[in-house]
Amino acid sequence: MTRTHGYLLDNRQAEAGERFDAFAALFDPTTFRHLERLGVGPGWRCWEVGAGGTSVVSWLAKKVGPTGRVVATDIDTSLLAAAARPPVEVRVHDVAADEPPGEGFDLVHARLVLVHVPDRERALRSMIEALRPGGRLLIEDADPALQPLLCPDEHGPEQQLANRLRQGFRKLLADRGADLSYGRRLPRLLREAGLLRVEADAYFPLTSPACTALESATVRQIRDQLVTEGIATDQEIDRHLANVAAGDMDLATAPMISAWGRRAPEENGS
């Protein structure tokens, strides 16, 4: 992540760990499938950008083994302490302001990071420059504008309230510099940056226990901002959280778009 004082979803808040657990349950299978396809294996040098939680970092560590290296960075590494042992190196780092934590990486990966970074163009350029010739880049980011609803099947007052709160959440994100239509542009941006063999897909969960857990943790984390900005009252938030806990609504997330490509090899091949 980047150092933005107005960042809405601070890792130091109590609900952050719940959100990372929900993200892992929702998106790890998709992420791991892509990483497997890219060939991550023993001896690889990997940079996990904006790592947040430990699930992807731990998976990479097992794949690269003792001869590999995984550099896990974030502006707040408090939730990464459990993974900070060889081959994992944890660093405090701002991807949009600091120099890359090394070069010659076989893989650079970021999930749900760049959408929140104001200077995302610089961040993406830094990540590409850190790759070795022929190295792989995998960027996975949300596109809330592509599917803005928490309840796509809005058939009652509970769903209407849920969607109003989700609209408010999106406004809070946008006011702090998030690009809510970033995900769809990833394939083009990777091609324009000179990457080869660019491909992309999207994952769009419509309902799951992890969606429910994510919504509960997110609303509790941003509750004060929702009230302060006049988006919802405390009573409305309490009612929404009770509706979520009842488990009777089909809650969705924004689609996560995964895009990947390779840095051009040197002329002598790589």
Side-chain angles (χ1 to χ4, degrees):
M1 299 296 180
T2 188
R3 294 186 185 97
T4 302
H5 294 298
Y7 182 54
L8 188 62
L9 299 163
D10 196 316
N11 286 3
R12 290 167 292 184
Q13 292 178 267
E15 296 84 1
E18 297 177 49
R19 297 184 74 251
F20 284 126
D21 288 344
F23 284 140
L26 284 168
F27 299 125
D28 276 1
T30 297
T31 295
F32 297 162
R33 173 170 57 85
H34 290 313
L35 292 173
E36 289 273 15
R37 182 178 179 181
L38 292 176
V40 177
W44 274 45
R45 295 157 295 172
C46 305
W47 176 17
E48 181 67 16
V49 181
T54 62
S55 64
V56 176
V57 173
S58 298
W59 187 93
L60 286 171
K62 291 178 182 178
K63 285 292 182 180
V64 306
T67 61
R69 181 187 183 209
V70 178
V71 179
T73 65
D74 207 326
I75 60 167
D76 183 348
T77 59
S78 56
L79 297 177
L80 289 169
R85 57 183 180 274
V88 176
E89 176 185 351
V90 174
R91 292 193 191 183
V92 175
H93 180 267
D94 183 337
V95 68
D98 300 333
E99 291 298 313
E103 58 184 15
F105 288 103
D106 299 290
L107 169 78
V108 176
H109 172 245
R111 186 173 75 187
L112 304 176
V113 173
L114 294 187
V115 68
H116 299 289
V117 175
D119 196 353
R120 54 189 63 86
E121 180 179 346
R122 176 177 176 178
L124 181 60
R125 183 170 61 250
S126 175
M127 294 162 68
I128 292 173
E129 290 174 351
L131 289 168
R132 68 165 176 82
R136 282 77 161 171
L137 177 70
L138 172 62
I139 304 293
E140 302 181 296
D141 241 314
D143 195 313
L146 197 61
Q147 194 296 110
L149 302 177
L150 177 63
C151 297
D153 180 21
E154 187 183 276
H155 68 276
E158 296 86 357
Q159 290 77 17
Q160 291 169 359
L161 174 60
N163 285 340
R164 179 159 64 83
L165 292 182
R166 175 56 58 92
Q167 183 179 9
F169 175 41
R170 292 176 62 237
K171 181 180 184 302
L172 291 174
L173 287 172
D175 288 347
R176 287 159 175 78
D179 184 344
L180 302 182
S181 58
Y182 186 67
R184 73 191 73 179
R185 296 201 291 276
L186 283 172
R188 172 173 57 83
L189 293 174
L190 297 194
R191 284 195 303 272
E192 291 176 351
L195 294 188
L196 307 177
R197 303 181 190 176
V198 172
E199 298 182 54
D201 65 15
Y203 176 60
F204 173 30
L206 274 169
T207 185
S208 79
C211 286
T212 300
L214 178 61
E215 175 62 10
S216 176
T218 299
V219 169
R220 285 184 280 113
Q221 187 167 3
I222 65 171
R223 179 181 190 126
D224 290 346
Q225 291 93 332
L226 290 170
V227 173
T228 299
E229 295 293 325
I231 293 167
T233 65
D234 277 313
Q235 293 75 19
E236 288 172 325
I237 293 172
D238 286 339
R239 186 162 73 249
H240 174 62
L241 289 172
N243 293 338
V244 170
D248 297 327
M249 295 191 296
D250 294 316
L251 306 182
T253 69
M256 183 181 75
I257 296 177
S258 304
W260 59 94
R262 295 184 61 175
R263 185 173 180 179
E266 294 176 334
E267 290 186 3
N268 62 357
S270 178

